Amino acid sequence: MNVLVPSSGGNAVRDETVRDGQVPRVRYPGEHDRATLLTPREPTDRLRGWIVTLVLTLVAGVVRCWRLGHASDEGTPVFDEKHYVPQAWQMLRNGGFEDNPGYELVAHPPVGKQLIAVGEWLFGYTPWGWRLSAALAGTLMVLLIIRITRRMTRSTLLGALAGVLLICDGVSHVQARVGMLDVFHALFVLAAFSCLLVDRDRVRARMALVVTENRVEDSVFGPRLGFRWWRFGAGVLLGLSCGVKWSGIYYVAAFLLLSIVWDALARRGAGVRRPWLGALVRDTVPGLGSLLVLALGVYFATWAGWYASETATDRHAAEIADDVGFGFLPDMLRSLLYYHFNVLEFHTHLVTGDDPHPWESKPWSWPMGMRPMLYYYESGTPGCGQGDCVQATMLLGTPALWWLALPVAGWAVWRATARMDWRYAAVLVGYCAGFLPWFGNLARQMYYFYATPLAPFLVLGIVLVLGEVLGRANASPERRKTGMLAIALYVGLVVANFVWLWPILNGFPITEAHWQAELWLPSWR
């Protein structure tokens, strides 16, 4: 069935058949097409879409949890697990807060550690306990990426491909198998992005109704859009992302801007006389309320356990320290500010210096994963068929995915600017919000695991390109078959690459020769 659905530029519609793997044909409508232009359409295979989603999510859960507790330092945490795992255990014991002033390396807000504590509550202070929540977060990211891609491309096939690619991403896999914070940060960011996508469709549906009812000309700014629950949900999730790591604030700014631009394009598509001014007048203040004020409110609410405590770190600093300031505030808030300034000072002075960490990496190396990170290494162990084996866990992006980052980014910039494709623009916003801000202070110590939130947006960009490789729905059968063959070969390459890296992504015993064969580049050593 041929239908008209919104295109990327705001003033065009796509004449397409709602069928898996399609690439729409764009044409420019007259005034009578505006309501159809704005009305979002979805694939008709809803049941199949959910079956595919749930099956791949189950596969992701198995892959993420396979021998989850295997790689550990004789049953104790590895790498930065040594910070967050005991802090999570303190939270579990105390009711949501850390309380060890002798170990005041509290560098991040509480949400991620509280989530780790949930697994410790279920399985105790064991590798399974402190890694279970991360594995579940990594699994949920696969579910989200499938649904997000399906909504952006209107294709269940492309959604499934996105799920497979994220399952096979080494960064997402390893971070879902360690008791660290970054996978939770990435999950909340991706979930907030998904809420904004639904909000975009809801806004365009409301604008289509306004066009149908001939109310567009009631105001030069266009209509008021009422309360937007999906944008509200995005604000809650962004607040939780900030509650895991402060870098969530970059996504607050980026997604706020993205939402307002989408609102302006929806108004323009509806024929509003002053669409950009209308978005500024009608949408900016509510957007600030949902995506900034609400996010900040949720962030400070995540400190509830700290507020209610008597022994949390710096809980009564205002009563004993001389340099707190802010005397007009209650002591509790002054103590919280003191705590935050201590954390800020820690991050400010966390610089490379003359003795850099051996696995430090700067952001220019992240897109292609040129400097991975070794979390765990042990030699001389049994289990590989020889007497002297190596066990190593390395944070490493699957090269078949990450080495395409720069050409995909270049293509996305061209599509977003020259062809006005909103999907590529959205992917670029999500990717750049987790990448560009780190160039603001290159003296700071940085590590490859900071790139964890980039992985789903990289996968989205690649899948959008795969959709174009597949070809239009009305292309010749030969063209479609050739496109499908190319996609199958590429996805097979990604899966094979992931399988090859499997031992060093999970810390399984291999021979020394195999370990050396896994290290393809000098910068990986």
Side-chain angles (χ1 to χ4, degrees), residues 245-423:
K245 281 194 162 185
W246 283 358
S247 51
I249 196 66
Y250 303 142
Y251 291 94
V252 171
F255 287 174
L256 173 61
L257 179 61
L258 180 65
S259 178
I260 294 173
V261 170
W262 279 349
D263 291 344
L265 292 176
R267 292 177 184 276
R268 187 181 71 175
V272 172
R273 280 177 286 168
R274 305 293 295 276
W276 291 96
L277 187 58
L280 181 65
V281 172
R282 302 287 202 212
D283 304 316
T284 301
V285 171
L288 286 169
S290 292
L291 298 179
L292 178 60
V293 177
L294 176 62
L296 290 176
V298 170
Y299 169 78
F300 284 108
T302 64
W303 293 86
W306 188 92
Y307 302 141
S309 72
E310 289 295 328
T311 59
T313 303
D314 291 336
R315 174 61 181 81
H316 294 285
E319 302 169 17
I320 59 176
D322 298 327
D323 56 346
V324 176
F326 303 97
F328 58 93
L329 294 175
D331 283 349
M332 181 181 68
L333 293 180
R334 295 174 64 220
S335 296
L336 184 63
L337 289 173
Y338 179 83
Y339 183 107
H340 277 65
F341 284 133
N342 280 345
V343 174
L344 180 61
E345 183 177 9
F346 168 81
H347 286 292
T348 301
H349 292 89
L350 187 65
V351 297
T352 300
D354 297 328
D355 186 23
H357 190 284
W359 291 99
E360 182 179 2
S361 65
K362 298 300 184 183
W364 56 73
S365 69
W366 298 346
M368 295 182 64
M370 300 305 292
R371 184 57 173 164
M373 189 140 204
L374 187 64
Y375 282 170
Y376 166 74
Y377 179 87
E378 186 176 356
S379 60
T381 63
C384 65
Q386 297 185 9
D388 191 6
C389 304
V390 170
Q391 292 185 116
T393 300
M394 177 172 278
L395 180 69
L396 178 64
T398 305
L401 288 170
W402 287 75
W403 288 5
L404 294 181
L406 295 181
V408 168
W411 180 258
V413 170
W414 182 81
R415 289 288 301 185
T417 55
R419 302 299 296 272
M420 299 300 292
D421 193 322
W422 69 270
R423 302 167 303 168

Side-chain angles (χ1 to χ4, degrees), residues 55 65 77 88 106 220 277 281 297 320 323-324 334 337 358 363 441 443 456 495 504 521-522:
V55 169
C65 293
V106 182
V220 295
L277 187 58
V281 172
I320 59 176
D323 56 346
V324 176
R334 295 174 64 220
L337 289 173
N441 182 15
V495 173
I504 66 170
L521 302 178

Side-chain angles (χ1 to χ4, degrees), residues 68-69 71-78 81-82 84-86 88-89 112 115-121 123-135 176-180 184:
L68 185 61
S72 64
D73 188 2
E74 298 181 353
T76 66
V78 300
E81 287 184 333
K82 296 183 183 296
Y84 309 123
V85 168
W89 189 251
L115 292 173
I116 293 173
V118 173
E120 293 177 337
W121 174 65
F123 290 96
Y125 197 75
T126 65
W128 260 95
W130 62 67
R131 293 171 182 168
L132 177 63
S133 295
R177 293 174 57 85
V178 293
M180 293 170 59
F184 304 117

Side-chain angles (χ1 to χ4, degrees), residues 42 143-145 147-149 151-152 186-204 206 227-240 255-256 258-259 262-263 290-291 294 422 426 457 460:
E42 293 188 16
L143 185 150
L144 286 172
I145 202 73
R147 304 307 297 181
I148 287 171
T149 306
R151 180 171 289 274
M152 294 179 74
L187 171 65
F188 289 129
V189 166
L190 189 62
F193 182 75
S194 70
C195 286
L196 288 183
L197 283 175
V198 180
D199 176 70
R200 177 186 181 275
D201 282 352
R202 295 293 184 269
V203 166
R204 297 177 77 83
R206 293 185 191 184
F227 191 81
R228 293 156 62 174
W229 283 104
W230 285 100
R231 188 173 62 180
F232 181 91
V236 171
L237 291 163
L238 288 171
L240 292 174
F255 287 174
L256 173 61
L258 180 65
S259 178
W262 279 349
D263 291 344
S290 292
L291 298 179
L294 176 62
W422 69 270
F457 293 102
L460 282 172

